[in-house]
Amino acid sequence: MLLCKKIKIEVSDQDGEALEFMQAKCRGLYNWWVMRLRNGDRWNLARAKKSLRESKAHDPELRFVYGKLLAEVYFRLDKAMQAFFRRVAAGEKPGFPRLKPRHQFFTLCYPAMYLEVQGKSITLPTGGGGKWGPKRYPNIVAHLTEIPPGSFHQVAVSRDARGNYYCSFVYDDAEQDAQDGRNKQSKRQQKRKARPIRDDGIVAFDLGIKTLATGVTDQGRFYHIGGFKGYRWYNRQLDKIRSKRDRCKKKSRRYIHLSKVYKRVAERKRNKQHDCLHKASHLIAHRLAERAVVIGDLSQRQMVIKKQENETPKERNKRRRRNRAVYNDWGLYRFVQMLEYKCLRFGKELSIIDERDTTKRCHVCEHKQDMPLWKRTYRCANCGLVMDRDENSAINIYQRFVAGPPPHTL
Ligand SMILES: [Zn+2]
Protein backbone atom coordinates (compact mmCIF):
# COMPACT_ATOMS: atom_id res chain seq x y z
CA MET A 1 0.00 0.00 0.00
CA LEU A 2 1.01 3.62 -0.38
CA LEU A 3 2.71 5.13 2.62
CA CYS A 4 4.30 8.47 3.29
CA LYS A 5 7.55 9.29 5.03
CA LYS A 6 8.11 12.87 6.12
CA ILE A 7 11.73 13.89 6.51
CA LYS A 8 13.07 17.20 7.72
CA ILE A 9 15.41 18.94 5.30
CA GLU A 10 18.08 21.54 5.78
CA VAL A 11 18.49 24.21 3.12
CA SER A 12 20.75 27.21 2.67
CA ASP A 13 19.31 30.71 3.00
CA GLN A 14 19.27 31.15 -0.75
CA ASP A 15 17.51 27.83 -1.30
CA GLY A 16 14.99 28.73 1.35
CA GLU A 17 14.36 31.96 -0.52
CA ALA A 18 13.82 29.99 -3.73
CA LEU A 19 11.30 27.71 -2.00
CA GLU A 20 9.44 30.70 -0.59
CA PHE A 21 9.40 32.38 -3.97
CA MET A 22 8.06 29.30 -5.76
CA GLN A 23 5.37 28.56 -3.20
CA ALA A 24 4.21 32.19 -3.25
CA LYS A 25 3.90 32.10 -7.04
CA CYS A 26 2.06 28.77 -6.97
CA ARG A 27 -0.32 30.07 -4.34
CA GLY A 28 -0.89 33.20 -6.37
CA LEU A 29 -1.83 31.15 -9.40
CA TYR A 30 -4.12 28.94 -7.32
CA ASN A 31 -5.87 31.86 -5.66
CA TRP A 32 -6.28 33.71 -8.92
CA TRP A 33 -8.10 30.69 -10.32
CA VAL A 34 -10.26 30.32 -7.23
CA MET A 35 -11.29 33.95 -7.60
CA ARG A 36 -12.17 33.45 -11.26
CA LEU A 37 -14.22 30.37 -10.46
CA ARG A 38 -15.94 32.22 -7.66
CA ASN A 39 -16.98 34.87 -10.15
CA GLY A 40 -18.69 32.25 -12.24
CA ASP A 41 -16.03 30.93 -14.64
CA ARG A 42 -16.45 27.33 -15.65
CA TRP A 43 -13.76 24.87 -14.55
CA ASN A 44 -12.09 22.79 -17.24
CA LEU A 45 -8.76 21.21 -16.39
CA ALA A 46 -7.44 20.93 -19.94
CA ARG A 47 -8.34 24.50 -20.79
CA ALA A 48 -6.93 25.79 -17.53
CA LYS A 49 -3.62 24.05 -18.15
CA LYS A 50 -3.40 25.52 -21.63
CA SER A 51 -3.84 28.99 -20.15
CA LEU A 52 -0.50 28.72 -18.33
CA ARG A 53 1.23 30.21 -21.34
CA GLU A 54 -0.91 33.35 -21.09
CA SER A 55 -0.35 33.52 -17.37
CA LYS A 56 3.38 33.41 -17.97
CA ALA A 57 3.09 36.23 -20.48
CA HIS A 58 1.17 38.24 -17.92
CA ASP A 59 3.57 37.47 -15.08
CA PRO A 60 7.05 36.69 -16.46
CA GLU A 61 8.27 35.77 -12.97
CA LEU A 62 6.33 32.51 -13.27
CA ARG A 63 9.15 31.33 -15.52
CA PHE A 64 11.41 31.10 -12.49
CA VAL A 65 9.09 28.52 -10.96
CA TYR A 66 9.68 24.93 -11.94
CA GLY A 67 7.05 24.03 -14.59
CA LYS A 68 5.95 20.75 -13.01
CA LEU A 69 5.07 22.59 -9.82
CA LEU A 70 2.82 24.97 -11.74
CA ALA A 71 1.19 22.04 -13.52
CA GLU A 72 0.55 20.49 -10.12
CA VAL A 73 -1.40 23.60 -9.11
CA TYR A 74 -4.02 22.83 -11.76
CA PHE A 75 -4.28 19.21 -10.64
CA ARG A 76 -4.67 20.31 -7.06
CA LEU A 77 -7.43 22.74 -7.94
CA ASP A 78 -9.06 20.08 -10.10
CA LYS A 79 -9.15 17.72 -7.14
CA ALA A 80 -10.72 20.43 -4.99
CA MET A 81 -13.32 21.21 -7.67
CA GLN A 82 -14.20 17.56 -8.24
CA ALA A 83 -14.68 17.10 -4.50
CA PHE A 84 -16.90 20.18 -4.50
CA PHE A 85 -19.02 18.83 -7.39
CA ARG A 86 -19.33 15.49 -5.63
CA ARG A 87 -20.54 17.14 -2.42
CA VAL A 88 -23.08 19.23 -4.31
CA ALA A 89 -24.37 16.15 -6.13
CA ALA A 90 -24.66 14.27 -2.84
CA GLY A 91 -26.58 17.13 -1.27
CA GLU A 92 -23.92 17.75 1.39
CA LYS A 93 -22.55 21.09 2.48
CA PRO A 94 -20.91 22.31 -0.77
CA GLY A 95 -17.71 23.88 0.59
CA PHE A 96 -16.36 25.78 -2.40
CA PRO A 97 -12.53 25.66 -2.69
CA ARG A 98 -11.00 28.35 -0.50
CA LEU A 99 -8.30 30.89 -1.02
CA LYS A 100 -4.98 29.79 0.44
CA PRO A 101 -3.82 32.25 3.08
CA ARG A 102 -0.52 34.06 2.80
CA HIS A 103 0.94 32.91 6.09
CA GLN A 104 0.66 29.25 5.16
CA PHE A 105 3.16 27.47 2.97
CA PHE A 106 1.63 26.28 -0.29
CA THR A 107 2.82 22.68 -0.54
CA LEU A 108 4.99 22.01 -3.58
CA CYS A 109 4.51 18.61 -5.24
CA TYR A 110 7.35 17.17 -7.30
CA PRO A 111 6.81 14.04 -9.41
CA ALA A 112 9.61 11.57 -8.61
CA MET A 113 11.05 11.28 -12.09
CA TYR A 114 12.45 14.81 -12.02
CA LEU A 115 14.21 14.43 -8.73
CA GLU A 116 17.68 13.32 -7.95
CA VAL A 117 18.55 11.69 -4.64
CA GLN A 118 22.08 10.81 -3.64
CA GLY A 119 22.48 9.41 -0.18
CA LYS A 120 21.09 12.08 2.06
CA SER A 121 20.93 14.89 -0.44
CA ILE A 122 18.07 15.70 -2.78
CA THR A 123 18.05 18.10 -5.70
CA LEU A 124 14.84 20.03 -6.25
CA PRO A 125 14.75 21.82 -9.60
CA THR A 126 13.76 25.44 -10.03
CA GLY A 127 12.44 27.18 -13.14
CA GLY A 128 14.38 28.48 -16.11
CA GLY A 129 17.65 27.29 -17.61
CA GLY A 130 18.51 26.05 -21.10
CA LYS A 131 16.01 27.08 -23.73
CA TRP A 132 13.74 28.52 -21.03
CA GLY A 133 16.07 31.42 -20.47
CA PRO A 134 18.15 32.46 -17.49
CA LYS A 135 17.60 30.99 -14.04
CA ARG A 136 16.96 33.32 -11.15
CA TYR A 137 17.56 30.62 -8.55
CA PRO A 138 19.91 27.66 -8.99
CA ASN A 139 18.47 24.21 -8.35
CA ILE A 140 17.90 23.60 -4.67
CA VAL A 141 20.16 21.10 -2.96
CA ALA A 142 18.66 20.05 0.35
CA HIS A 143 20.17 17.86 3.02
CA LEU A 144 17.82 15.16 4.29
CA THR A 145 18.10 14.36 7.98
CA GLU A 146 17.14 10.71 7.37
CA ILE A 147 17.64 8.18 4.58
CA PRO A 148 14.66 8.42 2.19
CA PRO A 149 12.83 5.34 0.84
CA GLY A 150 14.65 3.69 -2.05
CA SER A 151 11.93 4.14 -4.62
CA PHE A 152 9.17 6.69 -4.39
CA HIS A 153 6.37 8.15 -6.48
CA GLN A 154 6.12 11.74 -5.43
CA VAL A 155 7.67 14.24 -3.08
CA ALA A 156 5.84 17.09 -1.38
CA VAL A 157 7.77 19.97 0.13
CA SER A 158 6.14 21.69 3.08
CA ARG A 159 6.97 24.02 5.95
CA ASP A 160 5.79 23.98 9.53
CA ALA A 161 4.75 26.96 11.64
CA ARG A 162 8.29 27.41 12.94
CA GLY A 163 9.89 27.66 9.51
CA ASN A 164 11.37 24.16 9.15
CA TYR A 165 11.10 22.54 5.74
CA TYR A 166 10.15 18.93 5.10
CA CYS A 167 10.06 16.49 2.21
CA SER A 168 7.27 13.92 2.28
CA PHE A 169 8.05 10.84 0.21
CA VAL A 170 5.12 8.82 -1.09
CA TYR A 171 6.17 5.22 -1.59
CA ASP A 172 4.80 1.71 -1.92
CA ASP A 173 5.79 -0.49 0.99
CA ALA A 174 5.66 -3.65 -1.13
CA GLU A 175 8.24 -2.23 -3.55
CA GLN A 176 10.26 -1.07 -0.61
CA ASP A 177 10.29 -4.47 1.11
CA ALA A 178 11.36 -6.19 -2.08
CA GLN A 179 14.17 -3.72 -2.40
CA ASP A 180 15.72 -3.97 1.02
CA GLY A 181 14.65 -7.24 2.56
CA ARG A 182 17.73 -7.55 4.73
CA ASN A 183 17.31 -4.12 6.23
CA LYS A 184 18.08 -3.57 9.88
CA GLN A 185 14.69 -2.08 10.49
CA SER A 186 12.77 -5.10 9.32
CA LYS A 187 14.88 -7.25 11.63
CA ARG A 188 13.84 -5.13 14.56
CA GLN A 189 10.22 -5.43 13.56
CA GLN A 190 10.48 -9.18 13.45
CA LYS A 191 11.86 -9.32 16.94
CA ARG A 192 8.93 -7.35 18.24
CA LYS A 193 6.45 -9.49 16.39
CA ALA A 194 3.10 -9.72 18.12
CA ARG A 195 1.36 -12.89 19.19
CA PRO A 196 -0.08 -14.90 16.30
CA ILE A 197 -3.36 -13.51 15.04
CA ARG A 198 -6.49 -15.32 16.14
CA ASP A 199 -8.51 -15.44 12.96
CA ASP A 200 -11.85 -15.71 14.73
CA GLY A 201 -10.94 -13.18 17.40
CA ILE A 202 -12.96 -10.01 17.75
CA VAL A 203 -12.18 -6.90 19.73
CA ALA A 204 -14.66 -4.04 20.05
CA PHE A 205 -13.63 -0.54 21.11
CA ASP A 206 -15.50 2.35 22.58
CA LEU A 207 -13.70 5.58 21.74
CA GLY A 208 -13.96 8.42 24.20
CA ILE A 209 -12.57 11.63 25.58
CA LYS A 210 -11.43 10.51 29.01
CA THR A 211 -9.90 7.23 27.89
CA LEU A 212 -8.99 7.11 24.24
CA ALA A 213 -10.21 3.57 23.72
CA THR A 214 -11.75 0.90 25.92
CA GLY A 215 -11.95 -2.51 24.34
CA VAL A 216 -13.43 -5.91 25.02
CA THR A 217 -12.55 -9.15 23.25
CA ASP A 218 -14.63 -12.18 22.42
CA GLN A 219 -12.85 -13.88 25.33
CA GLY A 220 -14.10 -11.24 27.73
CA ARG A 221 -10.80 -9.51 28.27
CA PHE A 222 -10.70 -5.73 28.64
CA TYR A 223 -8.18 -3.31 27.19
CA HIS A 224 -7.82 0.27 28.38
CA ILE A 225 -5.84 2.61 26.18
CA GLY A 226 -5.35 5.99 27.77
CA GLY A 227 -4.97 8.96 25.50
CA PHE A 228 -2.63 11.92 25.59
CA LYS A 229 -2.53 13.13 29.17
CA GLY A 230 -0.67 16.40 29.23
CA TYR A 231 -2.95 18.62 27.21
CA ARG A 232 -4.22 20.56 30.21
CA TRP A 233 -0.71 21.40 31.24
CA TYR A 234 0.07 22.50 27.71
CA ASN A 235 -3.15 24.47 27.34
CA ARG A 236 -2.48 26.37 30.54
CA GLN A 237 0.97 27.29 29.28
CA LEU A 238 -0.29 28.26 25.87
CA ASP A 239 -3.05 30.43 27.28
CA LYS A 240 -0.60 32.17 29.56
CA ILE A 241 1.87 32.87 26.77
CA ARG A 242 -0.84 34.13 24.47
CA SER A 243 -2.34 36.47 27.01
CA LYS A 244 1.11 37.84 27.80
CA ARG A 245 1.74 38.35 24.12
CA ASP A 246 -1.56 40.05 23.51
CA ARG A 247 -0.70 42.66 26.11
CA CYS A 248 2.43 43.65 24.17
CA LYS A 249 2.56 46.10 21.35
CA LYS A 250 2.18 44.32 18.05
CA LYS A 251 5.43 43.66 16.16
CA SER A 252 7.49 44.71 19.20
CA ARG A 253 10.52 42.60 20.08
CA ARG A 254 8.79 41.00 23.04
CA TYR A 255 5.71 40.27 20.96
CA ILE A 256 7.76 38.47 18.34
CA HIS A 257 9.67 36.56 21.00
CA LEU A 258 6.49 35.39 22.70
CA SER A 259 5.01 34.38 19.35
CA LYS A 260 8.03 32.19 18.78
CA VAL A 261 7.73 30.60 22.20
CA TYR A 262 4.05 30.00 21.59
CA LYS A 263 4.73 28.24 18.32
CA ARG A 264 7.41 26.09 19.90
CA VAL A 265 5.21 24.95 22.76
CA ALA A 266 2.24 24.38 20.44
CA GLU A 267 4.38 22.24 18.20
CA ARG A 268 5.64 20.18 21.09
CA LYS A 269 2.10 19.56 22.20
CA ARG A 270 1.03 18.58 18.69
CA ASN A 271 3.92 16.18 18.31
CA LYS A 272 3.26 14.51 21.65
CA GLN A 273 -0.38 14.10 20.82
CA HIS A 274 0.32 12.77 17.37
CA ASP A 275 2.84 10.32 18.72
CA CYS A 276 0.37 9.10 21.28
CA LEU A 277 -2.30 8.45 18.66
CA HIS A 278 0.22 6.62 16.50
CA LYS A 279 1.23 4.38 19.37
CA ALA A 280 -2.33 3.62 20.37
CA SER A 281 -3.46 2.80 16.85
CA HIS A 282 -0.33 0.75 16.27
CA LEU A 283 -1.03 -1.21 19.42
CA ILE A 284 -4.52 -2.06 18.25
CA ALA A 285 -3.59 -2.79 14.66
CA HIS A 286 -0.32 -4.63 15.21
CA ARG A 287 0.02 -5.99 18.72
CA LEU A 288 -3.44 -7.28 19.57
CA ALA A 289 -4.20 -10.86 18.60
CA GLU A 290 -7.76 -10.37 17.44
CA ARG A 291 -8.24 -10.21 13.71
CA ALA A 292 -11.49 -8.26 13.63
CA VAL A 293 -11.49 -4.77 15.13
CA VAL A 294 -14.82 -3.03 15.69
CA ILE A 295 -15.38 0.62 16.51
CA GLY A 296 -18.41 2.89 16.64
CA ASP A 297 -19.24 5.30 13.86
CA LEU A 298 -18.17 8.72 15.08
CA SER A 299 -20.08 10.63 12.44
CA GLN A 300 -23.29 9.91 14.31
CA ARG A 301 -22.02 11.30 17.56
CA GLN A 302 -22.89 14.78 18.74
CA MET A 303 -19.68 15.77 20.45
CA VAL A 304 -19.66 19.50 19.96
CA ILE A 305 -22.01 21.72 21.95
CA LYS A 306 -23.79 24.33 19.87
CA LYS A 307 -23.97 27.88 21.09
CA GLN A 308 -27.28 28.69 22.73
CA GLU A 309 -29.10 32.03 22.54
CA ASN A 310 -28.92 33.09 26.18
CA GLU A 311 -26.43 30.81 27.83
CA THR A 312 -25.21 31.36 31.35
CA PRO A 313 -21.47 31.99 31.92
CA LYS A 314 -21.23 28.47 33.30
CA GLU A 315 -22.71 26.97 30.15
CA ARG A 316 -20.44 29.12 28.05
CA ASN A 317 -17.38 27.88 29.88
CA LYS A 318 -18.48 24.31 29.54
CA ARG A 319 -19.11 24.71 25.82
CA ARG A 320 -15.73 26.31 25.28
CA ARG A 321 -13.87 23.68 27.26
CA ARG A 322 -15.63 20.81 25.58
CA ASN A 323 -15.25 22.17 22.07
CA ARG A 324 -11.59 22.81 22.65
CA ALA A 325 -11.21 19.24 23.83
CA VAL A 326 -13.00 17.90 20.78
CA TYR A 327 -11.41 20.09 18.15
CA ASN A 328 -7.87 20.57 19.41
CA ASP A 329 -6.87 18.04 21.96
CA TRP A 330 -8.69 14.90 21.28
CA GLY A 331 -7.81 13.92 17.75
CA LEU A 332 -10.23 11.03 17.54
CA TYR A 333 -10.92 11.59 13.89
CA ARG A 334 -7.24 11.41 13.16
CA PHE A 335 -7.03 8.37 15.37
CA VAL A 336 -9.67 6.59 13.28
CA GLN A 337 -7.80 7.48 10.10
CA MET A 338 -4.60 6.03 11.50
CA LEU A 339 -6.45 2.95 12.64
CA GLU A 340 -7.89 2.49 9.17
CA TYR A 341 -4.60 2.42 7.34
CA LYS A 342 -2.75 0.50 10.02
CA CYS A 343 -5.38 -2.24 10.12
CA LEU A 344 -5.18 -2.51 6.36
CA ARG A 345 -1.42 -2.68 6.55
CA PHE A 346 -1.25 -5.39 9.18
CA GLY A 347 -4.04 -7.52 7.72
CA LYS A 348 -6.76 -6.78 10.23
CA GLU A 349 -10.37 -6.16 9.45
CA LEU A 350 -11.76 -2.90 10.74
CA SER A 351 -15.53 -2.60 11.01
CA ILE A 352 -17.29 0.64 11.79
CA ILE A 353 -20.80 0.17 13.11
CA ASP A 354 -23.66 2.30 14.29
CA GLU A 355 -23.08 3.14 17.94
CA ARG A 356 -26.36 4.82 18.79
CA ASP A 357 -27.28 4.40 22.47
CA THR A 358 -24.32 2.17 23.21
CA THR A 359 -23.42 4.33 26.20
CA LYS A 360 -26.99 4.62 27.43
CA ARG A 361 -27.91 0.95 27.24
CA CYS A 362 -27.28 -1.64 29.95
CA HIS A 363 -25.60 -4.58 28.28
CA VAL A 364 -27.33 -7.11 30.55
CA CYS A 365 -30.99 -6.10 30.52
CA GLU A 366 -31.16 -3.58 27.66
CA HIS A 367 -32.51 -0.92 29.97
CA LYS A 368 -31.83 2.60 28.70
CA GLN A 369 -30.89 5.58 30.84
CA ASP A 370 -29.27 8.95 30.30
CA MET A 371 -25.51 9.03 30.77
CA PRO A 372 -24.10 12.56 31.02
CA LEU A 373 -20.37 12.69 30.49
CA TRP A 374 -19.48 13.21 34.14
CA LYS A 375 -21.00 9.87 35.15
CA ARG A 376 -18.07 7.52 34.88
CA THR A 377 -19.87 4.45 36.23
CA TYR A 378 -22.92 2.83 34.76
CA ARG A 379 -25.42 1.94 37.50
CA CYS A 380 -28.40 0.18 36.00
CA ALA A 381 -31.64 1.24 37.67
CA ASN A 382 -33.31 -1.92 36.45
CA CYS A 383 -30.99 -4.88 37.11
CA GLY A 384 -28.46 -3.25 39.40
CA LEU A 385 -25.44 -3.66 37.13
CA VAL A 386 -22.48 -1.54 38.23
CA MET A 387 -19.76 -1.13 35.67
CA ASP A 388 -17.35 1.34 34.14
CA ARG A 389 -19.31 3.27 31.54
CA ASP A 390 -16.76 2.72 28.77
CA GLU A 391 -16.57 -1.01 29.41
CA ASN A 392 -20.34 -1.29 29.28
CA SER A 393 -20.37 0.64 26.04
CA ALA A 394 -17.61 -1.53 24.54
CA ILE A 395 -19.61 -4.66 25.35
CA ASN A 396 -22.65 -3.11 23.67
CA ILE A 397 -20.63 -2.44 20.53
CA TYR A 398 -19.27 -5.98 20.64
CA GLN A 399 -22.75 -7.46 21.04
CA ARG A 400 -24.18 -5.33 18.28
CA PHE A 401 -21.40 -6.38 15.94
CA VAL A 402 -21.88 -10.08 16.70
CA ALA A 403 -25.66 -9.90 16.43
CA GLY A 404 -25.67 -7.77 13.28
CA PRO A 405 -25.60 -9.02 9.71
CA PRO A 406 -22.35 -10.89 9.09
CA PRO A 407 -19.65 -8.90 7.31
CA HIS A 408 -19.54 -9.31 3.56
CA THR A 409 -16.26 -11.20 3.71
CA LEU A 410 -17.87 -14.25 5.29
ZN1 LIG B 1 -29.51 -3.55 33.50
Side-chain angles (χ1 to χ4, degrees):
M1 71 187 281
L2 282 183
L3 294 172
C4 180
K5 189 172 174 71
K6 190 173 177 182
I7 300 174
K8 190 173 168 185
I9 55 173
E10 284 154 359
V11 294
S12 67
D13 285 351
Q14 189 194 28
D15 287 347
E17 208 180 290
L19 283 175
E20 291 299 329
F21 171 79
M22 292 205 291
Q23 68 92 14
K25 285 292 170 193
C26 286
R27 186 187 48 237
L29 185 65
Y30 185 95
N31 284 349
W32 182 67
W33 267 101
V34 171
M35 289 304 287
R36 276 183 63 172
L37 294 169
R38 230 190 231 177
N39 293 336
D41 265 23
R42 286 183 77 88
W43 174 247
N44 179 306
L45 177 61
R47 224 177 326 137
K49 275 175 71 187
K50 273 201 192 119
S51 73
L52 179 59
R53 187 188 279 265
E54 291 161 47
S55 296
K56 277 182 175 167
H58 178 76
D59 178 9
E61 284 200 321
L62 281 175
R63 290 173 212 279
F64 302 127
V65 181
Y66 189 55
K68 296 290 168 208
L69 295 177
L70 293 171
E72 208 61 42
V73 170
Y74 297 108
F75 290 119
R76 191 162 163 189
L77 188 56
D78 187 54
K79 241 186 243 164
M81 285 306 283
Q82 298 311 331
F84 166 70
F85 293 143
R86 188 194 55 72
R87 285 192 296 268
V88 171
E92 294 168 29
K93 215 168 148 193
F96 195 78
R98 281 187 235 182
L99 295 174
K100 301 285 173 189
R102 201 171 267 266
H103 61 272
Q104 263 173 25
F105 191 86
F106 190 88
T107 304
L108 303 170
C109 294
Y110 281 98
M113 58 188 296
Y114 306 99
L115 294 176
E116 213 181 296
V117 178
Q118 271 184 331
K120 278 190 172 183
S121 104
I122 184 167
T123 306
L124 306 164
T126 55
K131 63 173 172 162
W132 286 283
K135 265 172 121 66
R136 176 183 286 187
Y137 296 103
N139 286 347
I140 297 160
V141 181
H143 175 253
L144 296 158
T145 50
E146 286 172 69
I147 301 274
S151 63
F152 50 87
H153 297 188
Q154 202 185 35
V155 175
V157 183
S158 58
R159 189 192 67 196
D160 68 10
R162 293 177 59 202
N164 300 312
Y165 295 102
Y166 298 87
C167 278
S168 300
F169 294 84
V170 178
Y171 68 99
D172 197 313
D173 65 337
E175 284 171 27
Q176 196 59 28
D177 286 349
Q179 210 170 60
D180 46 20
R182 312 168 304 282
N183 200 312
K184 243 191 288 166
Q185 224 174 359
S186 60
K187 216 187 268 170
R188 201 184 75 206
Q189 272 172 3
Q190 261 168 17
K191 213 193 288 170
R192 277 187 53 189
K193 203 170 183 181
R195 282 156 287 173
I197 288 186
R198 285 196 297 119
D199 272 332
D200 55 344
I202 302 170
V203 58
F205 279 99
D206 172 69
L207 307 180
I209 293 186
K210 283 270 157 73
T211 27
L212 186 60
T214 307
V216 63
T217 70
D218 51 324
Q219 295 171 324
R221 189 174 159 193
F222 285 104
Y223 294 115
H224 294 268
I225 300 172
F228 170 52
K229 281 281 164 16
Y231 66 84
R232 277 172 110 176
W233 183 83
Y234 277 109
N235 282 348
R236 210 160 36 222
Q237 293 231 320
L238 288 171
D239 288 348
K240 211 184 274 170
I241 297 166
R242 194 173 42 204
S243 78
K244 256 190 205 163
R245 185 192 69 180
D246 290 347
R247 265 177 275 144
C248 297
K249 210 175 134 201
K250 258 197 179 165
K251 299 271 159 75
S252 66
R253 205 193 309 164
R254 191 166 156 74
Y255 183 92
I256 292 169
H257 168 71
L258 287 171
S259 288
K260 267 192 198 145
V261 175
Y262 184 87
K263 278 177 185 163
R264 192 172 60 221
V265 177
E267 188 187 60
R268 208 171 291 154
K269 174 185 151 194
R270 259 197 317 272
N271 285 348
K272 270 248 164 80
Q273 191 182 353
H274 210 96
D275 189 51
C276 167
L277 294 179
H278 263 301
K279 278 182 182 146
S281 53
H282 187 264
L283 176 90
I284 294 173
H286 193 220
R287 311 269 293 158
L288 296 191
E290 289 77 20
R291 188 178 156 77
V293 180
V294 189
I295 55 171
D297 183 1
L298 294 177
S299 65
Q300 289 158 354
R301 210 189 278 190
Q302 296 276 306
M303 294 309 303
V304 180
I305 306 172
K306 286 229 174 75
K307 191 179 172 184
Q308 240 117 56
E309 285 262 321
N310 35 26
E311 58 182 4
T312 61
K314 203 177 156 194
E315 280 171 340
R316 174 161 160 261
N317 260 343
K318 185 184 163 196
R319 173 173 62 84
R320 287 198 168 169
R321 235 191 355 251
R322 168 83 74 80
N323 292 2
R324 183 178 195 171
V326 172
Y327 284 129
N328 298 346
D329 302 329
W330 192 29
L332 249 204
Y333 296 92
R334 196 180 289 158
F335 180 62
V336 172
Q337 280 181 338
M338 287 181 185
L339 206 54
E340 269 175 20
Y341 93 77
K342 286 192 178 165
C343 282
L344 192 67
R345 193 163 172 219
F346 295 116
K348 301 246 171 145
E349 246 162 65
L350 182 71
S351 307
I352 299 177
I353 63 165
D354 177 17
E355 59 160 13
R356 201 171 308 138
D357 298 334
T358 44
T359 31
K360 291 183 190 167
R361 225 170 55 116
C362 163
H363 82 268
V364 179
C365 69
E366 314 240 316
H367 170 75
K368 250 167 64 174
Q369 65 188 35
D370 265 347
M371 284 298 286
L373 261 182
W374 53 268
K375 273 194 192 168
R376 302 311 305 163
T377 313
Y378 192 98
R379 288 173 206 280
C380 182
N382 190 30
C383 73
L385 170 87
V386 178
M387 195 175 203
D388 178 77
R389 70 177 272 147
D390 297 332
E391 290 184 0
N392 175 57
S393 165
I395 295 178
N396 274 328
I397 290 176
Y398 172 78
Q399 286 177 348
R400 191 168 293 180
F401 176 73
V402 176
H408 59 275
T409 43
L410 283 182

